[in-house]
Amino acid sequence: MLLAALFGGSFVAIKTGLRELPPLLFAGLRFDVAAVVLLTYIALTNDRSTWVPKTRGDYLGIGAGAVFLVALNNGLLFLGQVTTTPAAASVMYGLNPILAPVFAWWLLGDRLSALGAVGIGVALCGVVIIVQPSPSTITDASAVGQLLVLGAAGAVALGSVLLQRLQPRMPSVSLTAWAMAGGAGILHTGSLLLGEPQPDLLTLDSVTVLSLLSVGIPSTAVAYAIYFGLIERVGPVRTNLVAYFVPVFAALSGWLLLDSPVSVWTGVGFLVVVAGFVLIERQVVGAELLRLHRRLRGPPAGREPAESDD
């Protein structure tokens, strides 16, 4: 829930900062801040041998994280949020748990059942409901923005599965920090190549600075460390379950802070996407619901909780 709140709040902070900063530059600055904070923390609290990459898997894992989970993910996300609302963007971004099983089937050999394939089709229907494509709207700025955010969701899904396949040995927090530093460099290069204006950072409005710090520290340095750690511990599919709580926080914070509306079709599309995910990962969802039920019910009277329930 904490991770969902950190990621959900970032959509509003991104939308606010984009009023003054161009998207790729803003995304690069986000990871400049996060990488400095996280690398400083690691250097001060860990032995050097634990945060320096050593194996081929470490270097490949850093590269995959930098390209897919940082650069492509955030570049497309920030570009998409220029023309769409925080609520719509967060719902489209929530498709990454739908896409992760597809990449897991391709790269990890995980089985995809017939019912799972139906679930993917249902989820795509949810996308159609949200975007509502037609000859008159397919080139609409809002629809294009939502499709860019969908591309970001695909980058997250592919990157998380790649990390599981590569199996880097270095601690997840250290890998996260190096991936952030590499991804920031890619984003700044993209910003320059696209000819984005490079404003004087010392003249930024205080609200923009607050947005940058909010996105860079709690919603990136802290949130990404938690996210990479969960991928390492429970795998990409279970980790990406958090995506279904993110739109709730994004919609509420967008409504409270930006007076940003949530359309009925966005809500309906979100529910259809969730239904698709339940069909794809019905066993994972069932196991998580059973785990939650056991935690809420507690141990039977007169018996101490078993270690396996912790």
Side-chain angles (χ1 to χ4, degrees), residues 267-292:
V268 172
F270 171 67
L271 294 176
V272 173
V273 169
V274 172
F277 178 78
V278 171
L279 287 174
I280 298 169
E281 293 296 336
R282 55 200 177 280
Q283 294 178 337
V284 173
V285 173
E288 291 301 311
L289 289 175
L290 182 60
R291 188 195 306 269
L292 178 62

Side-chain angles (χ1 to χ4, degrees), residues 48-304:
R48 184 175 182 274
S49 61
T50 65
W51 57 272
V52 175
K54 299 182 180 67
T55 68
R56 180 172 178 268
D58 290 343
Y59 286 103
L60 290 175
I62 290 171
V67 173
F68 293 100
L69 293 174
V70 176
L72 281 176
N73 169 23
N74 286 272
L76 294 171
L77 175 62
F78 278 59
L79 285 167
Q81 276 211 252
V82 172
T83 57
T84 191
T85 65
S90 64
V91 171
M92 295 298 285
Y93 199 68
L95 275 167
N96 70 75
I98 301 291
L99 301 172
V102 177
F103 290 121
W105 165 74
W106 175 37
L107 295 171
L108 304 179
D110 289 1
R111 226 177 124 200
L112 185 63
S113 67
L115 194 56
V118 171
I120 292 173
V122 171
L124 292 176
C125 288
V127 174
V128 173
I129 290 172
I130 296 168
V131 178
Q132 299 183 39
S134 70
S136 61
T137 63
I138 195 63
T139 57
D140 179 74
S142 178
V144 172
Q146 290 169 3
L147 292 175
L148 287 171
V149 175
L150 178 59
V156 171
L158 177 56
S160 60
V161 172
L162 277 174
L163 275 183
Q164 190 176 32
R165 176 170 179 169
L166 294 170
Q167 296 184 333
R169 295 182 182 178
M170 67 188 305
S172 60
V173 175
S174 302
L175 187 145
T176 303
W178 289 117
M180 287 178 177
I186 296 171
L187 287 165
H188 281 298
T189 301
S191 175
L192 291 171
L193 290 175
L194 288 179
E196 287 187 342
Q198 307 291 311
D200 183 353
L201 300 182
L202 297 178
T203 64
L204 292 178
D205 182 85
S206 58
V207 175
T208 302
V209 174
L210 184 61
S211 298
L212 175 59
L213 294 177
S214 173
V215 172
I217 300 175
S219 294
T220 304
V222 176
Y224 270 66
I226 297 172
Y227 180 77
F228 276 62
L230 286 173
I231 291 174
E232 182 181 39
R233 285 168 47 204
V234 303
V237 175
R238 282 184 63 192
T239 297
N240 286 329
L241 284 171
V242 73
Y244 291 111
F245 296 95
V246 170
V248 177
F249 289 98
L252 286 175
S253 55
W255 174 63
L256 289 171
L257 299 175
L258 301 179
D259 197 25
S260 179
V262 181
S263 74
V264 173
W265 289 117
T266 296
V268 172
F270 171 67
L271 294 176
V272 173
V273 169
V274 172
F277 178 78
V278 171
L279 287 174
I280 298 169
E281 293 296 336
R282 55 200 177 280
Q283 294 178 337
V284 173
V285 173
E288 291 301 311
L289 289 175
L290 182 60
R291 188 195 306 269
L292 178 62
H293 174 70
R294 286 174 176 171
R295 285 182 179 275
L296 293 176
R297 186 181 61 182
R303 186 173 75 87
E304 292 295 323

